Amino acid sequence: MKTKLLLLYIAGLLAVCPMGGNLMAQTATQPDVLKNDTVSHKLIHRLGLDVRPSYVTPTNDFFDGDNMHQQRIRQALSVHLKYAFQFDKNSSLGRLYPHAYQGIGVSYNTFFCPSELGNPIAVYAFQGSRIAQLSPRLSFDYEWNFGASFGWKKYDRTYNPQNEVIGSKINAYINLGFFLNWQLNSQWSLTAGMDFTHYSNGNTHYPNSGVNPIGGRVGIVRTFGDGATTVQGFKSLSIKPYISYDLVVYGATRKRGFVDGYDVCLVPGSFGIVGLNFNPMYNFNKYFRAGVSVDAQYDESANIKDYRVEESSSSDVKFHRPPFHKQFAVGLSVRGELVMPIFSINAGIGRNLICSGDDTEGFYQILALKTSITPRLFLHVGYQLSKFKNPNNLMLGFGYRFYKKR
């Protein structure tokens, strides 16, 4: 996937987030319940500041001191400024999801090694909500962040040859945090907990080992308007179970490399990917739906390592194009989905049933973010792993939801 296309999809995700005041965006998650809602309800606005110190997990020798400074890279620090909104407690979405908030954030990140990694700036969409109420003013919450990070010092054969973890100046930013939320009053709250972060370019460039900090977070949030819903609980709405059907079409490009003996062989050029998912889902309640998915994917680079031209040199490696059946696979996966206003997070594990060759055989895993654009149309940004360990490809596309009431 070219970086510009990845940025286009992330920009689309960020653009959709402020549409929370629009009825089409509000009703996209649960139209059967919200069809009589109006846009007259005011939004509750929030501003937040987070500080997140982290430990960088040593997933590569580069972090253990195999770098220009011959020093371990273990520490990271990020500072986040965030705007979010909640739905009014008198609106249908406010009664369905009284503690959910969503918005846009920006962060400054440093690994205390600017000459080799840079000090990237991240811009992202985020959403959070309550997991459990521990006391009248203390709750256990979660929050995810997803966006793009800019300003990395990428691998360069001449100027940055030992950085074998980052291959592009722009990388995806993914974060998941769990924390305690102490509500001081209806306007102010303090948060403290831990989070997990992953930076990657989704195999759009090599190298792509990624950076994975794990650490803590402390923050303060100022709520404007009627913040009573964050202090006092009330009886929220529920929905009747029903069945929905999601059809997703996606595409991407990727780089391909493989190990040949003791050498790493990088296949020249980029390769196209196109796929389709058909996913019937049983909606158990307002928060969760699950089902199975039929997944078809064509990967132009699949099994290409088996078709190397023997006469080609290591400096000018060439390949024949594999036959179609070596590059096409159809699988069946089990999916679960967390449903919230505007956003849904879909995760699944599957196995290819129609396939040929080592690259397409076996299990695959999927994690995707669905962002509602209209009541039925949504933006799909996903990532696929192969065999529980190998980064495979991005899944950037659109989906359409067919509803069937019980």
Side-chain angles (χ1 to χ4, degrees):
M1 178 67 208
K2 295 299 183 183
T3 303
K4 290 183 179 179
L5 186 55
L6 175 60
L7 287 176
L8 178 63
Y9 274 86
I10 293 175
L13 185 152
L14 295 174
V16 169
C17 190
M19 294 170 57
N22 183 286
L23 181 60
M24 295 296 287
Q26 291 185 29
T27 60
T29 305
Q30 305 290 356
D32 300 333
V33 179
L34 308 179
K35 59 185 178 181
N36 296 322
D37 203 8
T38 70
V39 295
S40 61
H41 300 293
K42 295 182 179 179
L43 297 176
I44 300 170
H45 303 279
R46 299 160 46 114
L47 284 178
L49 178 68
D50 289 350
V51 178
R52 307 180 188 178
S54 302
Y55 169 80
V56 179
T57 56
T59 54
N60 189 282
D61 291 340
F62 174 80
F63 298 113
D64 280 327
D66 187 13
N67 49 59
M68 288 191 296
H69 297 284
Q70 298 297 301
Q71 294 181 352
R72 290 185 176 184
I73 300 174
R74 289 289 190 272
Q75 296 179 329
L77 179 68
S78 61
V79 180
H80 299 248
L81 180 63
K82 304 183 297 182
Y83 161 76
F85 62 88
Q86 290 178 263
F87 296 101
D88 186 272
K89 64 180 180 180
N90 295 314
S91 67
S92 294
L93 274 177
R95 285 179 287 162
L96 272 172
Y97 305 99
H99 309 294
Y101 61 89
Q102 46 276 312
I104 297 175
V106 60
S107 68
Y108 171 82
N109 307 268
T110 181
F111 302 91
F112 304 99
C113 187
S115 60
E116 292 184 86
L117 285 175
N119 294 319
I121 303 293
V123 181
Y124 56 89
F126 66 93
Q127 186 175 63
S129 189
R130 180 170 301 173
I131 298 175
Q133 188 72 41
L134 305 180
S135 73
R137 292 184 177 272
L138 184 66
S139 64
F140 181 52
D141 298 0
Y142 79 90
E143 180 184 295
W144 58 258
N145 305 166
F146 178 73
S149 53
F150 307 82
W152 291 88
K153 292 291 182 67
K154 68 173 186 176
Y155 166 84
D156 186 277
R157 184 176 298 179
T158 302
Y159 301 104
N160 198 10
Q162 291 173 285
N163 178 3
E164 297 181 349
V165 296
I166 296 296
S168 54
K169 294 182 179 180
I170 303 173
N171 291 275
Y173 162 75
I174 303 171
N175 173 274
L176 176 63
F178 300 94
F179 52 90
L180 295 174
N181 184 353
W182 180 27
Q183 195 76 44
L184 301 176
N185 53 46
S186 61
Q187 280 75 43
W188 291 95
S189 62
L190 298 177
T191 63
M194 64 181 303
D195 63 7
F196 311 87
T197 303
H198 176 65
Y199 299 95
S200 172
N201 62 44
N203 273 358
T204 59
H205 297 81
Y206 274 170
N208 183 43
S209 297
V211 183
N212 302 288
I214 300 175
R217 56 182 287 166
V218 293
I220 186 168
V221 178
R222 173 68 162 92
T223 302
F224 301 88
D226 183 9
T229 56
T230 61
V231 181
Q232 300 293 335
F234 56 90
K235 186 177 180 179
S236 61
L237 292 178
S238 60
I239 67 167
K240 294 181 179 180
Y242 66 98
I243 298 175
S244 61
Y245 304 86
D246 286 2
L247 179 65
V248 175
V249 178
Y250 64 87
T253 63
R254 64 165 298 174
K255 293 283 189 178
R256 171 67 75 169
F258 58 90
V259 178
D260 184 12
Y262 294 98
D263 298 326
V264 176
C265 180
L266 181 62
V267 183
S270 296
F271 298 90
I273 291 171
V274 63
L276 182 146
N277 302 152
F278 180 66
N279 185 196
M281 303 281 276
Y282 183 81
N283 293 254
F284 290 88
N285 52 48
K286 62 184 179 181
Y287 294 114
F288 181 71
R289 54 182 168 231
V292 296
S293 178
V294 178
D295 309 316
Q297 178 170 289
Y298 171 77
D299 181 353
E300 193 179 21
S301 70
N303 296 301
I304 197 170
K305 63 179 181 295
D306 299 329
Y307 292 85
R308 181 172 180 175
V309 178
E310 296 296 335
E311 296 78 12
S312 61
S313 64
S314 58
S315 59
D316 186 25
V317 62
K318 296 180 180 180
F319 297 84
H320 296 295
R321 181 182 295 274
F324 179 82
H325 72 276
K326 291 283 187 177
Q327 300 178 312
F328 180 73
V330 178
L332 190 66
S333 62
V334 178
R335 302 290 188 98
E337 191 165 309
L338 173 66
V339 182
M340 296 295 283
I342 304 177
F343 300 107
S344 297
I345 298 176
N346 183 284
I349 178 172
R351 183 179 178 88
N352 284 321
L353 304 177
I354 302 175
C355 57
S356 178
D358 182 67
D359 285 348
T360 54
E361 290 179 348
F363 289 93
Y364 57 90
Q365 300 75 50
I366 291 173
L367 180 65
L369 176 65
K370 299 177 179 179
T371 306
S372 297
I373 300 174
T374 73
R376 299 196 177 209
L377 182 67
F378 57 87
L379 185 70
H380 181 278
V381 182
Y383 193 66
Q384 184 182 110
L385 292 175
S386 174
K387 302 173 184 176
F388 299 97
K389 60 179 181 178
N390 301 322
N392 210 15
N393 58 268
L394 293 170
M395 306 166 66
L396 306 180
F398 293 91
Y400 189 84
R401 181 164 298 127
F402 303 87
Y403 287 92
K404 181 180 179 181
K405 295 183 182 179
R406 271 194 146 199

